Amino acid sequence: MSEIVGAREAAALLERTRTAVDPQLRATVESLPGSMRRVAMYHFGWEHADGTPAAGSGGKAIRPALVLAAARALGGDPQQAVRAAAAVELAHNFTLLHDDVIDEDSIRRHRPTAWSVFGTADAIVVGDALLALSLRMLAEDRHPASAAASERLAACVIELCAGQQADCAFEERAPHEVTLDECLAMATAKTGALLGCACALGALYAGASAAQAAAMDAFGREAGLAFQLIDDLIGIWGDPDRTGKPAGADLAAHKKSLPVVAALTSGTAAGAELAEIYRGPMNATAVRRAAEAVDRAGGRDWAQLQAADRMARAVQELARAVPDLTAAGDLLALAEFVTRRTR
Protein backbone atom coordinates (compact mmCIF):
# COMPACT_ATOMS: atom_id res chain seq x y z
CA MET A 1 0.00 0.00 0.00
CA SER A 2 2.84 2.44 0.83
CA GLU A 3 4.30 1.93 -2.65
CA ILE A 4 0.94 2.86 -4.18
CA VAL A 5 0.72 5.98 -2.02
CA GLY A 6 4.30 6.93 -2.93
CA ALA A 7 3.57 6.51 -6.62
CA ARG A 8 0.52 8.71 -6.30
CA GLU A 9 2.52 11.39 -4.49
CA ALA A 10 5.18 11.35 -7.20
CA ALA A 11 2.56 11.45 -9.97
CA ALA A 12 0.87 14.44 -8.32
CA LEU A 13 4.23 16.18 -7.94
CA LEU A 14 5.09 15.63 -11.60
CA GLU A 15 1.69 16.95 -12.64
CA ARG A 16 2.20 20.09 -10.52
CA THR A 17 5.62 20.51 -12.11
CA ARG A 18 4.18 20.32 -15.62
CA THR A 19 1.54 22.88 -14.66
CA ALA A 20 4.24 25.25 -13.37
CA VAL A 21 6.89 24.70 -16.04
CA ASP A 22 5.04 23.90 -19.27
CA PRO A 23 3.85 27.46 -19.99
CA GLN A 24 7.44 28.73 -19.81
CA LEU A 25 8.75 25.73 -21.73
CA ARG A 26 6.16 25.99 -24.46
CA ALA A 27 6.53 29.76 -24.87
CA THR A 28 10.28 29.30 -25.28
CA VAL A 29 9.90 26.52 -27.86
CA GLU A 30 7.34 28.59 -29.76
CA SER A 31 9.97 31.33 -30.12
CA LEU A 32 11.89 29.16 -32.59
CA PRO A 33 11.69 29.95 -36.33
CA GLY A 34 8.76 28.23 -38.06
CA SER A 35 10.39 25.13 -39.54
CA MET A 36 12.31 24.32 -36.36
CA ARG A 37 9.33 25.14 -34.17
CA ARG A 38 7.24 22.53 -35.98
CA VAL A 39 9.78 19.78 -35.33
CA ALA A 40 10.20 20.79 -31.68
CA MET A 41 6.45 21.02 -31.07
CA TYR A 42 6.05 17.54 -32.54
CA HIS A 43 8.89 16.15 -30.42
CA PHE A 44 7.33 17.50 -27.21
CA GLY A 45 3.99 15.97 -28.19
CA TRP A 46 2.17 19.29 -28.50
CA GLU A 47 1.52 18.93 -32.23
CA HIS A 48 1.02 16.19 -34.78
CA ALA A 49 3.39 15.91 -37.72
CA ASP A 50 1.04 18.02 -39.85
CA GLY A 51 1.12 20.85 -37.31
CA THR A 52 -2.34 20.28 -35.84
CA PRO A 53 -2.66 20.38 -32.02
CA ALA A 54 -1.94 17.19 -30.05
CA ALA A 55 -2.56 16.32 -26.43
CA GLY A 56 0.93 15.10 -25.51
CA SER A 57 2.36 15.97 -22.10
CA GLY A 58 5.93 16.60 -23.27
CA GLY A 59 7.43 13.87 -21.07
CA LYS A 60 7.45 12.84 -17.42
CA ALA A 61 9.12 16.10 -16.22
CA ILE A 62 11.38 14.31 -13.72
CA ARG A 63 14.30 16.72 -14.15
CA PRO A 64 12.37 19.98 -13.77
CA ALA A 65 10.58 18.40 -10.80
CA LEU A 66 13.98 17.81 -9.19
CA VAL A 67 14.92 21.47 -9.67
CA LEU A 68 11.75 22.69 -7.94
CA ALA A 69 11.86 20.03 -5.22
CA ALA A 70 15.51 20.81 -4.40
CA ALA A 71 14.74 24.51 -4.13
CA ARG A 72 11.82 23.77 -1.81
CA ALA A 73 13.84 21.36 0.35
CA LEU A 74 16.40 24.08 1.04
CA GLY A 75 13.86 26.73 1.93
CA GLY A 76 13.71 28.50 -1.42
CA ASP A 77 10.70 29.59 -3.46
CA PRO A 78 10.20 27.01 -6.25
CA GLN A 79 8.40 29.62 -8.35
CA GLN A 80 11.66 31.56 -8.68
CA ALA A 81 13.33 28.43 -10.11
CA VAL A 82 10.79 27.76 -12.88
CA ARG A 83 13.04 29.18 -15.61
CA ALA A 84 15.91 27.01 -14.39
CA ALA A 85 13.61 23.97 -14.38
CA ALA A 86 12.53 24.70 -17.95
CA ALA A 87 16.17 25.17 -18.99
CA VAL A 88 17.07 21.73 -17.66
CA GLU A 89 14.14 20.18 -19.52
CA LEU A 90 15.22 21.85 -22.76
CA ALA A 91 18.73 20.49 -22.32
CA HIS A 92 17.32 17.03 -21.62
CA ASN A 93 15.26 17.11 -24.81
CA PHE A 94 18.35 18.18 -26.77
CA THR A 95 19.88 14.88 -25.69
CA LEU A 96 16.74 12.90 -26.59
CA LEU A 97 16.60 14.26 -30.13
CA HIS A 98 20.27 13.44 -30.70
CA ASP A 99 20.11 10.06 -28.94
CA ASP A 100 17.23 8.95 -31.17
CA VAL A 101 19.31 9.78 -34.24
CA ILE A 102 22.44 8.07 -32.90
CA ASP A 103 20.56 4.95 -31.79
CA GLU A 104 18.27 4.98 -34.85
CA ASP A 105 15.28 4.61 -32.52
CA SER A 106 12.04 4.84 -34.44
CA ILE A 107 9.61 5.17 -31.51
CA ARG A 108 9.49 7.54 -28.52
CA ARG A 109 6.48 8.19 -26.30
CA HIS A 110 4.36 5.79 -28.35
CA ARG A 111 4.84 7.51 -31.70
CA PRO A 112 7.50 7.95 -34.42
CA THR A 113 10.62 9.85 -33.37
CA ALA A 114 11.27 13.30 -34.79
CA TRP A 115 14.12 12.20 -37.04
CA SER A 116 12.04 9.39 -38.55
CA VAL A 117 9.31 11.91 -39.42
CA PHE A 118 11.27 15.03 -40.39
CA GLY A 119 14.69 13.61 -41.23
CA THR A 120 18.03 13.33 -39.47
CA ALA A 121 19.25 16.84 -40.30
CA ASP A 122 16.16 18.56 -38.89
CA ALA A 123 16.25 16.51 -35.68
CA ILE A 124 19.91 17.33 -35.07
CA VAL A 125 19.50 21.02 -35.81
CA VAL A 126 16.42 21.33 -33.57
CA GLY A 127 18.29 19.53 -30.79
CA ASP A 128 21.06 22.10 -31.11
CA ALA A 129 18.49 24.89 -30.96
CA LEU A 130 16.92 23.49 -27.77
CA LEU A 131 20.33 23.47 -26.10
CA ALA A 132 20.89 27.09 -27.15
CA LEU A 133 17.46 28.02 -25.79
CA SER A 134 18.23 26.40 -22.45
CA LEU A 135 21.41 28.41 -22.00
CA ARG A 136 19.76 31.61 -23.22
CA MET A 137 16.94 31.11 -20.73
CA LEU A 138 19.42 31.09 -17.85
CA ALA A 139 21.48 33.95 -19.30
CA GLU A 140 18.37 36.16 -19.47
CA ASP A 141 17.18 35.26 -15.99
CA ARG A 142 17.59 38.08 -13.45
CA HIS A 143 17.89 35.73 -10.49
CA PRO A 144 21.26 36.10 -8.66
CA ALA A 145 22.00 32.41 -9.19
CA SER A 146 21.49 32.43 -12.95
CA ALA A 147 25.16 32.92 -13.92
CA ALA A 148 26.35 30.07 -11.70
CA ALA A 149 23.48 27.92 -12.95
CA SER A 150 24.38 28.61 -16.58
CA GLU A 151 28.01 27.69 -15.95
CA ARG A 152 27.00 24.47 -14.19
CA LEU A 153 24.56 23.44 -16.91
CA ALA A 154 27.12 24.05 -19.66
CA ALA A 155 29.69 21.90 -17.82
CA CYS A 156 27.05 19.22 -17.33
CA VAL A 157 26.24 19.11 -21.05
CA ILE A 158 29.91 18.57 -21.88
CA GLU A 159 30.00 15.71 -19.37
CA LEU A 160 26.88 14.02 -20.68
CA CYS A 161 28.18 14.35 -24.25
CA ALA A 162 31.31 12.55 -23.10
CA GLY A 163 29.09 9.85 -21.63
CA GLN A 164 27.21 9.52 -24.92
CA GLN A 165 30.47 9.27 -26.83
CA ALA A 166 31.67 6.50 -24.49
CA ASP A 167 28.36 4.68 -24.97
CA CYS A 168 28.79 4.81 -28.74
CA ALA A 169 32.42 3.66 -28.47
CA PHE A 170 31.30 0.60 -26.51
CA GLU A 171 29.29 -0.55 -29.53
CA GLU A 172 32.50 -0.88 -31.54
CA ARG A 173 34.20 -3.08 -28.95
CA ALA A 174 33.87 -6.83 -28.58
CA PRO A 175 31.44 -8.05 -25.88
CA HIS A 176 34.21 -9.04 -23.46
CA GLU A 177 36.17 -5.78 -23.82
CA VAL A 178 33.84 -3.43 -21.89
CA THR A 179 34.32 -3.49 -18.11
CA LEU A 180 31.62 -2.88 -15.54
CA ASP A 181 33.52 0.09 -14.09
CA GLU A 182 33.65 1.70 -17.53
CA CYS A 183 29.95 1.12 -17.99
CA LEU A 184 29.11 2.62 -14.58
CA ALA A 185 31.24 5.69 -15.33
CA MET A 186 29.50 6.09 -18.69
CA ALA A 187 26.05 5.86 -17.12
CA THR A 188 26.97 8.35 -14.40
CA ALA A 189 28.06 10.86 -17.04
CA LYS A 190 25.25 10.20 -19.51
CA THR A 191 22.34 10.10 -17.05
CA GLY A 192 23.48 10.94 -13.53
CA ALA A 193 25.14 14.23 -14.48
CA LEU A 194 21.93 15.94 -15.61
CA LEU A 195 19.88 14.75 -12.65
CA GLY A 196 22.67 15.97 -10.37
CA CYS A 197 22.75 19.28 -12.20
CA ALA A 198 18.97 19.64 -11.81
CA CYS A 199 19.25 19.20 -8.04
CA ALA A 200 22.23 21.56 -7.84
CA LEU A 201 20.38 24.26 -9.79
CA GLY A 202 17.47 24.01 -7.37
CA ALA A 203 19.93 24.44 -4.51
CA LEU A 204 21.56 27.47 -6.14
CA TYR A 205 18.19 29.12 -6.68
CA ALA A 206 17.41 28.57 -2.99
CA GLY A 207 20.58 30.44 -2.01
CA ALA A 208 22.27 27.30 -0.66
CA SER A 209 25.94 27.05 0.22
CA ALA A 210 28.50 25.50 -2.11
CA ALA A 211 28.63 22.43 0.15
CA GLN A 212 24.85 22.01 0.00
CA ALA A 213 24.83 22.38 -3.79
CA ALA A 214 27.59 19.76 -4.06
CA ALA A 215 25.64 17.35 -1.83
CA MET A 216 22.51 17.91 -3.90
CA ASP A 217 24.49 17.23 -7.06
CA ALA A 218 25.80 13.99 -5.54
CA PHE A 219 22.25 13.01 -4.54
CA GLY A 220 21.06 13.51 -8.10
CA ARG A 221 23.97 11.59 -9.58
CA GLU A 222 23.38 8.56 -7.38
CA ALA A 223 19.64 8.72 -8.04
CA GLY A 224 20.44 9.13 -11.73
CA LEU A 225 22.53 5.99 -11.76
CA ALA A 226 19.67 4.13 -10.07
CA PHE A 227 17.39 5.61 -12.74
CA GLN A 228 19.68 4.31 -15.50
CA LEU A 229 19.87 0.85 -13.98
CA ILE A 230 16.08 0.63 -13.94
CA ASP A 231 15.92 2.12 -17.43
CA ASP A 232 18.30 -0.58 -18.67
CA LEU A 233 16.12 -3.28 -17.13
CA ILE A 234 13.09 -1.77 -18.84
CA GLY A 235 15.06 -1.69 -22.10
CA ILE A 236 15.29 -5.48 -21.91
CA TRP A 237 12.11 -6.61 -20.14
CA GLY A 238 9.79 -3.60 -20.41
CA ASP A 239 6.25 -3.97 -21.73
CA PRO A 240 6.03 -2.23 -25.14
CA ASP A 241 2.48 -1.10 -24.35
CA ARG A 242 3.86 0.85 -21.38
CA THR A 243 7.28 1.88 -22.67
CA GLY A 244 6.27 2.91 -26.18
CA LYS A 245 9.31 1.04 -27.53
CA PRO A 246 9.70 -2.47 -29.01
CA ALA A 247 10.39 -5.33 -26.58
CA GLY A 248 14.11 -5.94 -26.06
CA ALA A 249 15.02 -2.81 -28.02
CA ASP A 250 18.40 -2.45 -26.28
CA LEU A 251 19.32 -6.06 -27.01
CA ALA A 252 18.25 -5.77 -30.63
CA ALA A 253 20.64 -2.82 -30.95
CA HIS A 254 23.51 -4.80 -29.32
CA LYS A 255 23.58 -2.19 -26.52
CA LYS A 256 26.10 -2.86 -23.77
CA SER A 257 23.79 -1.68 -21.02
CA LEU A 258 24.56 -2.21 -17.35
CA PRO A 259 22.70 -5.55 -16.91
CA VAL A 260 24.25 -6.81 -20.14
CA VAL A 261 27.81 -5.90 -19.12
CA ALA A 262 27.22 -7.39 -15.66
CA ALA A 263 26.19 -10.62 -17.38
CA LEU A 264 29.06 -10.53 -19.89
CA THR A 265 31.63 -10.08 -17.10
CA SER A 266 30.03 -12.62 -14.74
CA GLY A 267 32.36 -15.48 -15.69
CA THR A 268 29.34 -17.76 -16.08
CA ALA A 269 28.35 -20.11 -18.88
CA ALA A 270 25.30 -17.92 -19.48
CA GLY A 271 27.58 -14.89 -19.82
CA ALA A 272 29.66 -16.70 -22.43
CA GLU A 273 26.46 -17.68 -24.23
CA LEU A 274 25.36 -14.04 -24.25
CA ALA A 275 28.69 -12.95 -25.72
CA GLU A 276 28.25 -15.46 -28.53
CA ILE A 277 24.70 -14.26 -29.22
CA TYR A 278 25.90 -10.65 -29.29
CA ARG A 279 28.39 -11.47 -32.03
CA GLY A 280 25.58 -12.33 -34.44
CA PRO A 281 22.46 -10.71 -35.89
CA MET A 282 19.68 -9.96 -33.40
CA ASN A 283 16.39 -11.25 -34.74
CA ALA A 284 13.40 -11.88 -32.44
CA THR A 285 14.67 -15.31 -31.43
CA ALA A 286 18.15 -13.98 -30.63
CA VAL A 287 16.67 -11.15 -28.56
CA ARG A 288 14.65 -13.63 -26.51
CA ARG A 289 17.69 -15.88 -26.00
CA ALA A 290 19.85 -12.89 -25.02
CA ALA A 291 17.32 -11.72 -22.42
CA GLU A 292 17.22 -15.21 -20.92
CA ALA A 293 21.04 -15.35 -20.85
CA VAL A 294 21.30 -11.96 -19.11
CA ASP A 295 18.87 -13.22 -16.47
CA ARG A 296 20.64 -16.56 -15.93
CA ALA A 297 24.04 -14.84 -15.75
CA GLY A 298 22.80 -12.66 -12.90
CA GLY A 299 22.61 -9.36 -14.80
CA ARG A 300 19.01 -8.71 -13.84
CA ASP A 301 19.50 -9.38 -10.12
CA TRP A 302 22.73 -7.38 -10.06
CA ALA A 303 21.07 -4.33 -11.63
CA GLN A 304 18.16 -4.45 -9.19
CA LEU A 305 20.49 -4.70 -6.19
CA GLN A 306 22.70 -1.92 -7.56
CA ALA A 307 19.70 0.35 -8.04
CA ALA A 308 18.71 -0.14 -4.40
CA ASP A 309 22.29 0.47 -3.25
CA ARG A 310 22.61 3.66 -5.30
CA MET A 311 19.38 4.98 -3.87
CA ALA A 312 20.67 4.33 -0.34
CA ARG A 313 23.79 6.33 -1.23
CA ALA A 314 21.59 9.07 -2.70
CA VAL A 315 19.69 9.42 0.56
CA GLN A 316 22.98 9.67 2.47
CA GLU A 317 24.09 12.51 0.20
CA LEU A 318 20.73 14.22 0.55
CA ALA A 319 21.07 14.15 4.34
CA ARG A 320 24.29 16.15 4.02
CA ALA A 321 22.37 18.98 2.36
CA VAL A 322 19.08 18.62 4.25
CA PRO A 323 19.74 17.07 7.69
CA ASP A 324 16.01 17.03 8.44
CA LEU A 325 14.77 14.77 5.65
CA THR A 326 11.16 15.62 6.40
CA ALA A 327 11.83 18.84 4.47
CA ALA A 328 12.91 16.78 1.45
CA GLY A 329 9.76 14.72 1.04
CA ASP A 330 9.30 15.69 -2.62
CA LEU A 331 12.88 14.68 -3.50
CA LEU A 332 12.47 11.35 -1.74
CA ALA A 333 9.16 10.74 -3.53
CA LEU A 334 10.81 11.39 -6.88
CA ALA A 335 13.74 9.12 -6.00
CA GLU A 336 11.31 6.37 -5.07
CA PHE A 337 9.43 6.91 -8.31
CA VAL A 338 12.45 6.54 -10.59
CA THR A 339 13.56 3.28 -8.96
CA ARG A 340 10.14 1.63 -9.02
CA ARG A 341 8.84 2.75 -12.37
CA THR A 342 8.07 0.26 -15.14
CA ARG A 343 8.33 2.59 -18.15
Side-chain angles (χ1 to χ4, degrees):
M1 180 63 71
S2 61
E3 291 180 10
I4 296 174
V5 173
R8 288 175 178 168
E9 289 177 353
L13 174 58
L14 293 171
E15 184 58 35
R16 291 197 301 272
T17 297
R18 284 190 290 267
T19 299
V21 175
D22 274 7
Q24 180 71 65
L25 187 64
R26 185 160 183 159
T28 303
V29 170
E30 288 177 344
S31 73
L32 289 171
S35 58
M36 288 195 294
R37 180 173 64 247
R38 182 178 173 186
V39 178
M41 294 290 283
Y42 172 84
H43 167 74
F44 277 99
W46 297 326
E47 289 184 358
H48 297 294
D50 62 2
T52 57
S57 65
K60 290 184 283 290
I62 291 170
R63 290 154 189 83
L66 286 171
V67 175
L68 302 186
R72 186 180 297 109
L74 288 167
D77 179 3
Q79 190 60 37
Q80 293 189 13
V82 165
R83 289 179 67 88
V88 169
E89 187 68 354
L90 286 167
H92 172 54
N93 279 275
F94 142 74
T95 70
L96 296 184
L97 281 162
H98 283 205
D99 284 359
D100 285 343
V101 171
I102 292 169
D103 296 338
E104 298 183 344
D105 284 338
S106 60
I107 300 293
R108 179 174 291 283
R109 298 168 184 159
H110 303 278
R111 64 180 190 162
T113 47
W115 75 267
S116 66
V117 174
F118 298 98
T120 299
D122 277 358
I124 292 173
V125 169
V126 170
D128 293 342
L130 293 185
L131 177 58
L133 285 177
S134 73
L135 295 174
R136 188 181 77 181
M137 180 171 284
L138 290 176
E140 293 176 347
D141 194 355
R142 296 181 180 180
H143 193 280
S146 62
S150 182
E151 180 181 357
R152 185 177 284 266
L153 181 59
C156 170
V157 170
I158 293 172
E159 184 178 358
L160 65 87
C161 286
Q164 178 63 61
Q165 185 181 43
D167 191 21
C168 292
F170 290 170
E171 304 307 307
E172 304 301 319
R173 293 162 62 179
H176 66 280
E177 291 180 346
V178 178
T179 69
L180 204 47
D181 284 346
E182 286 180 308
C183 202
L184 286 166
M186 176 275 294
T188 300
K190 185 178 174 181
T191 302
L194 191 54
L195 270 71
C197 180
C199 295
L201 260 59
L204 291 173
Y205 271 70
S209 68
Q212 287 175 310
M216 278 292 194
D217 186 277
F219 162 76
R221 284 173 178 269
E222 293 291 352
L225 191 48
F227 179 100
Q228 187 61 56
L229 284 155
I230 299 301
D231 200 59
D232 286 351
L233 290 170
I234 292 169
I236 298 174
W237 291 285
D239 179 355
D241 290 338
R242 295 178 64 84
T243 65
K245 294 184 178 183
D250 286 358
L251 297 175
H254 292 85
K255 295 280 293 182
K256 295 183 180 69
S257 62
L258 288 160
V260 167
V261 174
L264 289 170
T265 58
S266 64
T268 63
E273 178 186 343
L274 177 63
E276 187 61 32
I277 296 170
Y278 252 44
R279 292 188 182 97
M282 296 297 286
N283 55 27
T285 299
V287 167
R288 177 181 54 77
R289 290 179 56 222
E292 292 171 352
V294 173
D295 198 1
R296 286 186 283 109
R300 188 175 195 167
D301 288 343
W302 175 86
Q304 290 171 334
L305 289 171
Q306 272 288 310
D309 178 64
R310 294 293 174 167
M311 276 313 311
R313 298 188 195 187
V315 173
Q316 290 177 348
E317 295 292 349
L318 180 59
R320 291 173 49 217
V322 190
D324 180 6
L325 288 178
T326 58
D330 286 350
L331 285 172
L332 292 171
L334 288 169
E336 179 80 2
F337 172 78
V338 302
T339 55
R340 292 191 181 276
R341 77 195 203 287
T342 58
R343 59 188 175 92

